Amino acid sequence: MTYWPLIGIALVVVGFVARLNPLMVVAVSAIVTGLLGGLEFVPVLEALGKAFNDNRYISVTWIILPVIGLLERYGLQERARTLIGQVRGATMGRLLVLYLGFRQITAALGMKDIGGHPQTVRPLIAPMAEAAAERAHGTLSLTEREKVRALAAATDNIGLFFGEDIFFAIASILLIQGVFEAQGYPLAPLQLSVWAIPSAVCAFLLHGARLLAHDRRLARLPVAEPESAA
Amino acid sequence: MITLEWLYVLTGLVFSAWALLSLRDRTNPKRWGNAAFWGLLAGSFFFGSHISDLANGILVLVLVALAGTGQLGRSHPATTNGTERTALAARLGNRLFVPALVIPLTAVAGTLVYTYTPLGESGLFEARRETLILLGLGVLLALALAMLWMRAPLLAPLEEGRRLMDSIGWAAILPQMLAALGAVFALAGVGSIVGDLAGTVLPRGSLFLAVLVYCTGMLLFTVIMGNAFAAFPVMAAAIGIPVLVEDYGGNVALIGAVGMLAGFCGTLLTPMAANFNIVPAVLLDLRSQYGVIRAQVGTALPLFACNVLLIYFLAFP
């Protein structure tokens, strides 16, 4: 077996580390891998074009931006901050733990599109987490505010990933089922989805504990001078 | 029947509006680049299904060339400032949340109603695409609602959308490009080579090491490909089934399910999973595009260890 096509993987890694434009890195890697895999240039380009076209549905979700942008123009993020500011006892950690649980449970019920970064994290969850952190702590430095936002985005990802596999009709469960069936091990999706529950519990406990630990870390930080978001 | 093609036309319309608005935006020194990039994407959505694979491939190369040579700029369409937003938020109150919630609710409630009532037999939506199509309907519904309430200028949603889209820039199509890369990798046989390699490094005689290699393979291959889906068939065929299931008699369902989740820990660590890790960093205005990944390392690594232990302690009689 020839190992030459693995150079494509190495190219991706090197490209990302060297901080070259990722689109360029991916395109070059695809073409190089195809050529090393024994294909001619034109068929590689055709395969790339066909796959790009077949996967257009991934980019369809951007049509949500006009609605989110319009609501931001009218103060959606500010309203989200005010709302959390009024909740007594709200901290960044508690708020995100709540969202983590909500995201895991809804994803486990098959509602994976109920959250997401453009839909909920940017307009609602991140500003709420920031407001809760500042409410409990006082003004935060830009670095600390960015950490809170990053944790909000991380919470959405972790909730989705370690919730969705409990839902039996999700693509990854169907893929596992298909792979095992092809190898002579027929399984029902439900048999697979119950075994996603222990990891989901671990994910909730681990990430939840980190979020609450971040609350305690914030409490120890000195209050920063107000600064502009440069 | 409403198919995905309808949604593509709608998306094409939105992108062509962004292209035209970019074109007349003289405040953006790179307006030609922006207009060309969003315009070509609009073309891809309109005509992608009707042109040849080669034409699509050339379109991809042009998009990559525009992005790779830095032809895209960030525009700043007129919008409200912080003070105005605070005042508007106070005036409009919690009603502001309604349009934002209309979108996921339409998608979820719509899917449930469609799947569990006789409506599903009507064949109104293309099979397996109903949630995505309903998401598109939700967007239109939310937009209509917001416009009627707020009496915003007609172009406001498109200009505000362009403001966000330009801040994301070329990263917007990175997830789609990575999916295409996965397809080319599969065609070139990368998967079977990696599986072959994983099989060779596997030490014989230690169950724990076999579990560790299986899970680590899932993690690393997911990090490289940005997607556990590409890793799973490879690692299952290389180690999961022949070694863990057949040699050691492990629980098939558990090895499959938890193995996939070990791969998901890798998704949290890689810039290749752009839509989960890079796009939100840009959406949230983080200075580093790796900010979200950094926030995830502390959860992903211990969670990976949990998955290894779950398989080791629970899968074998």
Side-chain angles (χ1 to χ4, degrees):
Chain A
M1 183 178 277
T2 165
Y3 291 125
W4 286 112
L6 294 185
I7 290 180
I9 293 180
L11 277 179
V12 171
V13 176
V14 170
F16 267 107
V17 171
R19 303 197 171 211
L20 302 175
N21 180 289
L23 276 189
M24 194 79 110
V25 172
V26 169
V28 169
S29 165
I31 290 167
V32 169
T33 306
L35 293 176
L36 292 173
L39 300 164
E40 301 284 326
F41 180 73
V42 171
V44 173
L45 194 55
E46 283 175 341
L48 187 65
K50 180 178 173 4
F52 184 79
N53 191 55
D54 288 345
N55 286 293
R56 279 176 298 170
Y57 70 92
I58 295 173
S59 303
V60 158
T61 42
W62 295 123
I63 57 172
I64 209 164
L65 292 183
V67 177
I68 299 301
L70 185 68
L71 294 176
E72 282 186 4
R73 179 194 183 101
Y74 287 87
L76 180 69
Q77 293 192 355
E78 286 70 12
R79 187 65 216 172
R81 287 198 187 100
T82 313
L83 188 71
I84 281 302
Q86 289 165 351
V87 180
R88 281 202 295 147
T91 67
M92 182 222 77
R94 287 181 201 160
L95 172 81
L96 290 183
V97 167
L98 204 67
Y99 183 65
L100 177 67
F102 168 81
R103 189 79 166 117
Q104 281 193 298
I105 289 167
T106 48
L109 297 174
M111 296 181 248
K112 59 185 276 196
D113 292 321
I114 207 164
H117 301 288
Q119 298 98 308
T120 53
V121 177
R122 175 181 162 117
L124 301 172
I125 303 301
M128 282 180 171
E130 233 180 284
E134 299 218 311
R135 187 191 130 95
H137 171 266
T139 311
L140 291 170
S141 69
L142 180 58
T143 309
E144 290 301 325
R145 273 189 287 136
E146 286 199 356
K147 260 186 209 158
V148 171
R149 275 184 247 157
L151 275 174
T155 302
D156 189 271
N157 284 337
I158 291 159
L160 173 67
F161 293 179
F162 297 93
E164 63 169 7
D165 266 28
I166 298 173
F167 184 60
F168 51 88
I170 200 90
S172 50
I173 291 289
L174 300 178
L175 175 74
I176 302 171
Q177 189 197 14
V179 169
F180 277 135
E181 195 167 292
Q183 306 261 357
Y185 294 92
L187 290 169
L190 207 56
Q191 281 177 286
L192 288 165
S193 63
V194 293
W195 284 114
I197 295 174
S199 297
V201 172
C202 292
F204 184 80
L205 294 177
L206 280 170
H207 194 63
R210 280 189 66 219
L211 291 170
L212 296 178
H214 198 76
D215 269 350
R216 291 193 291 278
R217 204 184 73 85
L218 284 178
R220 287 196 302 268
L221 281 178
V223 177
E225 292 295 312
E227 60 180 317
S228 61
Chain B
M1 185 173 73
I2 302 177
T3 64
L4 213 47
E5 282 295 325
W6 291 40
L7 202 53
Y8 289 159
V9 171
L10 176 68
T11 313
L13 286 171
V14 174
F15 275 103
S16 37
W18 284 336
L20 290 173
L21 292 172
S22 298
L23 206 59
R24 49 162 235 184
D25 180 1
R26 288 175 194 284
T27 61
N28 178 3
K30 293 187 171 170
R31 62 191 171 117
W32 295 104
N34 286 37
F37 195 81
W38 305 132
L40 275 172
L41 261 179
S44 165
F45 278 104
F46 284 137
F47 309 114
S49 315
H50 309 288
I51 58 179
S52 70
D53 290 345
L54 185 62
N56 274 312
I58 293 168
L59 186 138
V60 171
L61 289 191
V62 179
L63 283 174
V64 170
L66 284 169
T69 55
Q71 302 302 312
L72 269 76
R74 188 166 173 173
S75 67
H76 300 277
T79 182
T80 49
N81 63 33
T83 326
E84 288 168 327
R85 287 183 182 191
T86 308
L88 283 161
R91 184 160 66 78
L92 293 167
N94 291 336
R95 286 191 304 175
L96 271 166
F97 296 121
V98 176
L101 295 175
V102 159
I103 301 170
L105 282 181
T106 310
V108 172
T111 305
L112 290 178
V113 168
Y114 189 74
T115 316
Y116 294 108
T117 66
L119 200 65
E121 289 151 30
S122 65
L124 180 63
F125 301 127
E126 185 177 337
R128 288 179 296 111
R129 297 298 189 194
E130 56 278 341
T131 306
L132 206 54
I133 294 169
L134 281 159
L135 190 81
L137 285 177
V139 167
L140 293 178
L141 202 64
L143 193 60
L145 205 66
M147 290 300 281
L148 286 175
W149 255 349
M150 293 161 183
R151 311 203 170 279
L154 264 182
L155 276 181
L158 288 169
E159 286 286 23
E160 298 288 343
R162 182 165 73 96
R163 175 171 61 82
L164 297 181
M165 194 78 246
D166 278 352
S167 70
I168 298 164
W170 53 261
I173 61 160
L174 187 54
Q176 200 185 330
M177 275 296 287
L178 287 164
L181 176 69
V184 177
F185 272 18
L187 200 68
V190 171
S192 49
I193 300 173
V194 172
D196 191 51
L197 276 179
T200 18
V201 300
L202 182 68
R204 297 282 156 185
S206 164
L207 174 61
F208 183 75
L209 283 178
V211 173
L212 193 63
V213 171
Y214 170 65
C215 291
T216 309
M218 280 298 300
L219 180 91
L220 290 181
F221 200 29
T222 303
V223 165
I224 291 164
M225 298 298 295
N227 191 334
F229 286 19
F232 187 77
V234 175
M235 294 313 298
I239 297 174
I241 291 167
V243 181
L244 298 184
V245 173
E246 287 171 359
D247 291 356
Y248 289 101
N251 175 333
V252 186
L254 195 160
I255 289 167
V258 183
M260 179 67 99
L261 293 168
F264 283 12
C265 296
T267 317
L268 295 172
L269 298 173
T270 175
M272 295 291 282
N275 41 343
F276 298 113
N277 296 335
I278 302 296
V279 169
V282 180
L283 267 176
L284 297 173
D285 299 316
L286 304 189
R287 282 167 299 177
S288 162
Q289 57 175 334
Y290 301 121
V292 176
I293 296 177
R294 258 185 239 124
Q296 287 171 165
V297 175
T299 302
L301 295 181
L303 193 50
F304 174 75
C306 286
N307 285 316
V308 174
L309 297 176
L310 279 173
I311 296 184
Y312 181 67
F313 284 114
L314 296 183
F316 302 96

